[in-house]
Amino acid sequence: TKKEEYIIENVVKALEENIECLIKVKNKFHYLGYFEDERAIGTKIEYLKSQNTTLKKYISESNKDNAN
């Protein structure tokens, strides 16, 4: 439905903003020499990116279904 799509699109936007923020924190940790923390955040960033990709595919498939 349109409402679900709207919610998912907002979740995607929020995830992208959080990913950008985490990348900045990750870079700061690297600069400060906190390499274990940097790796841990890097792992979380990759997980969030994969979740975002999944949501985007869902939106794309939903749009295709609605077009038919």
Side-chain angles (χ1 to χ4, degrees):
T1 67
K2 284 282 184 199
K3 187 175 183 181
E4 286 175 351
E5 230 174 270
Y6 175 77
I7 292 169
I8 292 170
E9 285 173 4
N10 282 314
V11 169
V12 166
K13 276 189 226 169
L15 271 173
E16 287 173 350
E17 289 171 9
N18 282 304
I19 289 167
E20 287 176 28
C21 185
L22 284 172
I23 289 170
K24 290 177 185 174
V25 171
K26 179 182 176 290
N27 292 340
K28 280 279 191 216
F29 276 177
H30 180 83
Y31 175 76
L32 295 171
Y34 297 114
F35 301 116
E36 281 183 37
D37 295 320
E38 178 197 5
R39 278 192 296 277
I41 290 178
T43 300
K44 180 57 82 176
I45 289 168
E46 292 310 310
Y47 173 75
L48 292 174
K49 283 181 177 179
S50 73
Q51 293 295 98
N52 221 18
T53 300
T54 301
L55 286 173
K56 285 179 181 178
K57 283 181 188 172
Y58 177 81
I59 292 171
S60 174
E61 288 170 10
S62 177
N63 287 338
K64 284 180 194 170
D65 291 343
N66 291 338
N68 294 329

